[in-house]
């Protein structure tokens, strides 16, 4: 143990006896991420892991990332996915799959396992699902059956190759990217003979399209260029359709090279039945049942979660290689003999190295907890959404504004439910209402999805840099175990594709203002305080104080104006709304992390094999929660303070600014009746008009004193957080790791 740590250990009276001896095992993760009862998901994790740490790791080690082209080895990886059941994980049993029901958690777990080794491999598997997702979410039953069955791996005895798909939204600049409304892809009526199905002419160019080198079909977003077609839609294009299906040239990516990306060109004639979700004909006009934005929204709100989990996997995968590197750093040197601290501990003698690794680890835990919470939520939401659609259809309500209006009453009931005491008998009735359940989960999902994508990938990419830096020069070489430098760079793509950070922030700035979400947030804050009462070591109290500060700031900014009298919180003012969205993400991640540790404690007590290791693991994971909660509190405090005070003009040494200053003569007079008052006066104007050398008289906190009170409180709430970090660091310095990394470098 490092002398510093030893010193802390001796001086602290709160150190627990239990220490985590090994890295958290699968059994721990299954409980935390809630698939301990899902044997099908455990099997999927094992098979995805064997492909990741076998086929994929060997490909990376052999330099397959060095080519932009789609190589036979990369193709073999797709076949390995098929054999391992990863491809079929998206399908229903009747479509050739093996998991019935919602699959958000399943796909997220598979992506997590693949990204543990290589992000491109994970993307290659996810992109196939992304191509199918528009069809899965909004397709007609015939479309769903056709494309999902064709894309399922062949059953034993079946002689066919599975179809591969690509999702084509992004277009060459200046068209669709972040702004998905700016479509240049066009659809026109090619032929429409009386009584027959119309034939469409589709003209679309894609940019940066994943899976395109080998795609047999694509789902493409297009706008109508014909008065006989209304609006926009997503259309399915097949390789053998009449016309041009040009796979395009490969993009020269610096990241995710195990997936294929390119710029395709399509000019194809297809039947109108390829419009995703179908269409009706009204007054001679083809009206798609869903416009492209409706399809894309349904797709991205689910698929972005798995992307966020890919970065979480990278962070957690960095822990073991960094520990191994740090410990072995001085072995072989003359002075470092076995048994000496230098030999055994290496760089882990140094507190900073340990603390930084604790930060990476804590972030990885929080990111995984947030992402898996979001994935589970969508699994819960999917059947409730279907139920909601059925109820509304029965009432003759369909889509758009009519639906929003119909759900308004359910929103009020949901908010009422959140305000009721646990003992109130009305709770049972409200909680059983499927529409109330829907609006609650929908509001939560609308926030958790962009939060996962934004925080996990954006902040995660920053922390991957930290992980790389912990390996010194080795970190930025191809030889670095765990491929950390590639993962760092790959994380940036995860922050970019499926909508970069601005898109997630923009979405959050709308969804976090939902009354239902805000009511949930208030309930979560109270819940964190209750948790703190029984689990003070998790940092739940610190988090509750930070949540309270966020809420105060949010409310304040709704009414506040800047120095020029302009409204602060509105859509165009990204300088206000975006940072507030960022701060919220920190809070959500920390909350989910704490809840997962509580779940572990609650569920694992019945698990005899875990019993021995549990106290140490719980202590360590709680210390990571506490460390993360303190970081969160710091971020939230910084962001909120800037927003609350930063838009006020700082007083100057002019007439207006000096109104609140003391004149020296006045102060001298007051001193006679109130001795000592001079010591409290900061801004004093001397008789010759001179003043202290600073920007101006200190700003007062008119209307914001509550904020300062909250901030004061938050500071003192940090008590204990560094002790938790010290304890976590000590565990990191001792935890056992396997002799060698379980995949090649
Ligand atoms: C390897 C790879 C694979 C991809 N795979 C696919 C795929 O399979 N299918 C597909 O359709 N697309 C795919 N994409 C495209 C990807 O989704 C887009 O690149 C991404 O959405 C960003 O769009 P853009 O490149 O046009 O960035 P830009 O829109 O030019 O954004 C540049 C910067 O400006 C910011 N910005 C843009 N608009 C705003 C705004 N309104 N407010 C504030 N800031 C803003 C962004 O946040 C970003 O920081 C892929 C991209 C890559 C690199």
């Amino acid at each position: 143990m490092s002398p510093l740590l030893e010193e802390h250990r001796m001086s602290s009276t709160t150190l627990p006896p239990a220490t985590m001896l090994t890295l958290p095992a699968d059994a721990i993760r299954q409980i935390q991420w809630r698939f301990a009862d899902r044997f099908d998901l455990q099997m999927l994790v094992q098979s995805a892991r064997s492909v990741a740490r076998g086929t994929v790791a060997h490909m990376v080690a052999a330099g397959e990332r060095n080519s932009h082209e789609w190589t036979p080895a990369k193709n073999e990886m797709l076949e390995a996915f098929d054999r391992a059941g990863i491809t079929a994980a998206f399908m229903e049993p009747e479509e050739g799959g093996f998991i019935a029901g919602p699959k958000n958690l399943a796909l997220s777990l598979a992506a997590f396992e693949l990204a543990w080794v290589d992000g491109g491999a994970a993307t290659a598997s996810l992109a196939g699902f992304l191509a199918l997702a528009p069809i899965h979410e909004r397709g007609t039953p015939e479309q769903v059956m056709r494309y999902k069955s064709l894309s399922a791996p062949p059953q034993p005895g079946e002689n066919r190759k599975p179809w591969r798909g690509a999702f084509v939204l992004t277009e060459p600049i200046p068209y669709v990217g972040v702004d998905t409304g700016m479509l240049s892809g066009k659809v026109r009526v090619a032929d429409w003979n009386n009584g027959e199905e119309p034939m469409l002419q589709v003209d679309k160019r894609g940019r940066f399209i994943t899976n395109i080198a080998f795609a047999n079909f694509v789902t493409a977003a297009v706008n109508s260029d014909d008065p006989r077609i209304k609006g926009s839609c997503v259309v399915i294009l097949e390789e053998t359709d009449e016309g041009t299906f040009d796979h395009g040239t490969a993009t020269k990516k610096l990241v995710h090279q195990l997936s294929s990306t390119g710029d395709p060109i399509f000019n194809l004639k297809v039947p109108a039945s390829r419009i995703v979700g179908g269409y009706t004909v009204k007054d001679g006009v083809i009206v798609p049942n869903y416009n492209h934005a409706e399809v894309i929204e349904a797709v991205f709100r689910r698929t972005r979660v798995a992307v966020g989990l890919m970065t979480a996997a990278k962070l957690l995968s960095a822990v073991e290689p960094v520990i191994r590197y740090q410990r072995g750093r001085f072995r072989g040197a003359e002075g470092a003999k076995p048994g000496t601290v230098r030999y055994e501990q290496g760089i882990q003698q140094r507190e900073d190295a340990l603390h930084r690794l604790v930060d990476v680890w804590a972030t990885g835990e929080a990111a995984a907890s947030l992402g898996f919470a979001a994935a589970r939520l969508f699994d819960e939401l999917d059947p409730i959404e279907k139920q909601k659609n059925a109820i509304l259809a029965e009432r003759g309500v369909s889509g758009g504004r009519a639906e929003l209006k119909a759900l308004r009453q359910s929103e009020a009931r949901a908010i009422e439910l959140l305000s009721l005491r646990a003992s109130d008998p009305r709770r049972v009735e409200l909680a059983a209402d499927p529409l109330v359940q829907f609006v609650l989960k929908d509001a939560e999902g609308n926030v958790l999805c962009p939060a996962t994508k934004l925080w996990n990938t954006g902040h995660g990419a920053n922390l991957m840099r930290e992980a790389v830096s912990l390996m010194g020069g080795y970190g930025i070489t191809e030889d670095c175990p765990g491929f950390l430098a590639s993962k760092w760079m790959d994380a940036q793509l995860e922050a970019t594709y499926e909508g970069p950070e601005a898109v997630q922030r923009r979405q959050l700035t709308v969804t976090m203002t939902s009354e239902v979400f805000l009511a949930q947030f208030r309930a979560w804050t109270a819940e964190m305080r209750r948790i703190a009462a029984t689990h003070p070591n998790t940092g739940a109290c610190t988090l509750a104080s930070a949540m309270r500060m966020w809420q105060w700031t949010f409310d304040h900014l709704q009414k506040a104006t800047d120095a020029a009298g302009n409204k602060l919180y509105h859509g165009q003012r990204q300088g206000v709304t975006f940072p507030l969205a960022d701060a919220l993400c920190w809070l959500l991640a920390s909350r989910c992390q704490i809840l997962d540790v509580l779940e572990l404690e609650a569920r694992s007590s019945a698990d005899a094999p875990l019993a021995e290791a549990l106290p140490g693991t719980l202590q360590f994971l709680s210390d990571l929660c506490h460390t993360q909660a303190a970081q969160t509190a710091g971020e939230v405090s910084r962001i909120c303070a800037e927003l609350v005070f930063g838009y006020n003009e700082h007083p100057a040494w002019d007439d207006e600014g000096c109104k609140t200053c003391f004149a020296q003569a006045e102060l001298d007079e007051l001193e006679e009746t109130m001795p000592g008052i001079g010591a409290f006066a900061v801004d004093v104007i001397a008789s010759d008009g001179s003043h202290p050398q600073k920007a101006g008289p200190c700003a007062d906190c008119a209307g914001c004193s509550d904020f300062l009170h909250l901030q004061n409180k938050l500071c003192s709430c940090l008590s204990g957080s560094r002790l938790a970090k010290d304890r976590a660091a000590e565990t990191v310095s001792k935890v056992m790791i396997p002799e060698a990394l379980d995949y090649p470098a």
Side-chain angles (χ1 to χ4, degrees):
M1 187 195 308
S2 80
L4 264 177
L5 288 176
E6 176 70 350
E7 203 176 289
H8 288 315
R9 206 175 69 83
M10 304 289 285
S11 65
S12 172
T13 52
T14 54
L15 281 181
T19 304
M20 185 176 76
L21 299 177
T22 56
L23 301 175
D26 278 343
I28 301 274
R29 296 315 196 183
Q30 287 163 8
I31 296 173
Q32 279 184 290
W33 301 334
R34 326 292 158 89
F35 63 105
D37 303 330
R38 294 280 308 267
F39 188 62
D40 52 348
L41 300 190
Q42 292 169 23
M43 292 300 290
L44 177 65
V45 164
Q46 289 309 323
S47 54
R49 186 175 297 173
S50 69
V51 177
R53 300 183 191 190
T55 310
V56 174
H58 281 104
M59 285 171 66
V60 179
E64 274 300 316
R65 286 184 62 122
N66 297 336
S67 162
H68 304 298
E69 302 305 322
W70 191 247
T71 63
K74 293 179 192 176
N75 212 48
E76 166 58 27
M77 177 183 74
L78 296 188
E79 286 165 18
F81 292 165
D82 296 343
R83 287 193 299 273
I86 298 170
T87 315
F90 190 75
M91 321 300 172
E92 290 299 320
E94 62 274 20
E95 297 155 354
F98 56 95
I99 300 172
K103 296 170 188 53
N104 301 286
L105 181 58
L107 302 182
S108 293
L109 284 165
F112 184 90
E113 283 302 327
L114 292 172
W116 188 275
V117 176
D118 187 81
T123 291
S125 96
L126 287 178
F129 307 146
L130 185 62
L132 285 167
I135 301 170
H136 173 76
E137 295 300 336
R138 294 288 178 256
T140 62
E142 298 74 27
Q143 289 169 343
V144 172
M145 199 59 196
R146 172 175 170 78
Y147 292 97
K148 288 179 78 182
S149 311
L150 285 170
S151 303
Q155 301 290 325
E158 232 187 330
N159 184 21
R160 66 173 175 85
K161 282 193 175 308
W163 275 28
R164 314 281 183 200
F167 172 80
V168 187
L169 172 63
T170 309
E171 297 172 346
I173 282 175
Y175 292 100
V176 60
V178 168
D179 191 349
T180 53
M182 268 174 57
L183 278 179
S184 110
K186 295 286 181 272
V187 56
R188 285 178 291 277
V189 174
D191 309 306
W192 194 348
N193 298 327
N194 237 347
E196 288 179 16
E197 168 151 68
M199 292 299 289
L200 309 176
Q201 189 66 37
V202 177
D203 196 0
K204 169 93 181 177
R205 297 180 60 161
R207 178 172 62 120
F208 303 153
I209 303 305
T210 309
N211 270 13
I212 198 60
F214 48 81
N216 308 103
F217 73 98
V218 305
T219 36
V222 284
N223 237 339
S224 166
D225 189 30
D226 191 318
R228 288 170 294 170
I229 306 173
K230 185 170 179 226
S232 67
C233 62
V234 172
V235 64
I236 307 165
L237 308 174
E238 295 183 9
E239 206 177 10
T240 51
D241 286 329
E242 184 186 334
T244 306
F245 189 114
D246 181 347
H247 296 258
T249 48
T251 307
K252 294 193 171 111
K253 283 180 296 185
L254 296 170
V255 293
H256 281 216
Q257 292 93 339
L258 293 192
S259 68
S260 137
T261 312
D263 298 353
I265 301 168
F266 308 102
N267 192 290
L268 296 161
K269 197 166 165 181
V270 301
S273 61
R274 296 284 188 76
I275 293 174
V276 170
Y279 64 95
T280 52
V281 177
K282 276 193 197 128
D283 305 326
V285 174
I286 296 170
V287 183
N289 290 337
Y290 299 102
N291 66 36
H292 87 286
E294 287 166 331
V295 177
I296 287 166
E297 192 201 314
V299 168
F300 278 157
R301 78 186 298 223
R302 289 162 176 90
T303 57
R304 282 171 175 158
V305 172
V307 177
L309 279 162
M310 284 166 55
T311 320
K314 292 178 162 66
L315 291 164
L316 291 176
S317 79
V319 168
E320 190 189 320
V322 172
I323 292 179
R324 185 173 291 106
Y325 175 77
Q326 289 181 331
R327 293 207 185 138
R329 175 66 176 81
F330 302 121
R331 291 183 192 168
E334 263 180 37
K337 300 275 179 274
T340 61
V341 174
R342 196 168 164 77
Y343 182 94
E344 301 298 339
Q345 295 276 293
I347 297 177
Q348 292 207 332
Q349 294 170 91
R350 302 292 167 221
E351 189 172 63
D352 183 64
L354 293 170
H355 277 195
R356 284 178 192 277
L357 183 53
V358 166
D359 285 338
V360 172
W361 197 336
T363 307
E365 293 290 337
S369 292
L370 175 61
F372 285 122
R376 290 192 304 270
L377 179 75
F378 281 104
D379 275 358
E380 289 165 22
L381 183 62
D382 283 354
I384 299 175
E385 192 169 15
K386 288 198 181 89
Q387 210 179 345
K388 177 258 317 179
N389 290 341
I391 294 170
L392 293 186
E394 216 168 84
R395 293 182 190 169
V397 178
S398 67
R401 290 225 175 111
E403 181 172 319
L404 288 179
K405 206 168 149 205
L407 288 176
R408 220 158 276 151
Q409 201 201 353
S410 305
E411 285 172 9
R413 283 161 66 80
I415 293 169
E416 185 191 347
L417 171 65
L418 291 166
S419 69
L420 295 178
R421 286 175 182 279
S423 55
D424 196 309
R426 210 171 132 65
R427 282 186 73 91
V428 180
E429 181 210 325
L430 290 174
D433 179 343
L435 293 184
V436 168
Q437 289 173 18
F438 171 76
V439 293
L440 282 171
K441 291 203 189 303
D442 190 51
E444 190 179 346
N446 283 340
V447 171
L448 284 201
C449 171
T452 299
K453 175 72 164 60
L454 173 62
W455 192 82
N456 284 19
T457 63
H459 181 59
N462 294 343
L463 265 282
M464 267 318 293
R465 189 208 70 82
E466 197 69 46
V468 170
S469 82
L470 292 176
M471 303 287 269
Y474 202 23
I476 38 177
T477 69
E478 282 183 2
D479 300 329
C480 177
F483 316 129
L484 297 191
S486 304
K487 286 176 181 167
W488 168 30
M489 190 78 162
D490 284 354
Q492 181 53 45
L493 175 60
E494 286 139 35
T496 300
Y497 72 176
E498 291 202 30
E501 285 140 287
V503 172
Q504 315 310 322
R505 291 190 174 109
R506 211 166 48 180
Q507 197 179 333
L508 275 166
T509 59
V510 175
T511 57
M512 72 191 189
T513 62
S514 135
E515 285 302 326
V516 178
F517 173 73
L518 290 170
Q520 289 187 88
F521 188 80
R522 280 190 292 276
W524 293 346
T525 309
E527 174 198 39
M528 274 300 131
R529 286 269 189 244
R530 284 196 300 276
I531 289 172
T534 51
H535 295 77
N537 291 339
T538 54
C541 224
T542 315
L543 186 64
S545 298
M547 290 169 91
R548 178 77 197 90
M549 175 183 279
W550 184 88
Q551 180 97 48
W552 189 96
T553 307
F554 178 87
D555 292 342
H556 171 79
L557 293 172
Q558 303 303 309
K559 311 176 288 281
T561 55
D562 66 13
N566 297 319
K567 204 169 168 337
L568 283 179
Y569 199 99
H570 70 83
Q572 300 307 316
R573 202 121 197 205
Q574 296 179 343
V576 177
T577 55
F578 280 19
L580 207 56
D582 287 332
L584 176 64
C585 295
W586 280 87
L587 295 166
L588 298 175
S590 224
R591 169 179 179 266
C592 291
Q593 187 184 4
I594 292 173
L595 293 181
D596 279 0
V597 173
L598 259 65
E599 177 76 10
L600 179 64
E601 185 189 60
R603 292 283 305 271
S604 57
S605 49
D607 193 321
L610 280 182
E612 200 182 331
L614 198 65
T617 305
L618 278 173
Q619 178 65 56
F620 176 70
L621 293 176
S622 297
D623 286 335
L624 290 189
C625 286
H626 205 158
T627 302
Q628 188 62 27
Q631 290 253 0
T632 297
E635 279 298 312
V636 170
S637 175
R638 178 185 65 76
I639 291 171
C640 291
E642 256 191 71
L643 295 178
V644 169
F645 294 102
Y647 286 98
N648 300 335
E649 201 78 72
H650 195 287
W653 296 112
D654 54 16
D655 289 350
E656 182 60 28
C658 292
K659 262 188 196 160
T660 52
C661 299
F662 283 108
Q664 187 61 57
E666 184 188 1
L667 205 59
D668 292 343
E669 209 171 294
L670 284 171
E671 191 70 36
E672 283 174 20
T673 48
M674 286 178 266
I677 190 172
F680 294 97
V682 190
D683 298 321
V684 182
I685 313 287
S687 48
D688 62 355
S690 63
H691 52 71
Q693 291 301 301
K694 57 195 183 91
C698 281
D700 66 14
C701 57
C704 302
S705 55
D706 286 350
F707 179 86
L708 292 177
H709 177 70
L710 290 171
Q711 203 181 36
N712 245 334
K713 180 172 160 54
L714 190 55
C715 287
S716 51
C717 285
L718 295 176
S719 306
S721 61
R722 282 276 157 170
L723 296 173
K725 194 168 198 174
D726 279 348
R727 267 194 308 270
E730 185 173 352
T731 300
V732 168
S733 74
K734 287 182 171 159
V735 69
M736 282 187 282
I737 56 168
E739 273 303 305
L741 194 64
D742 51 6
Y743 56 93

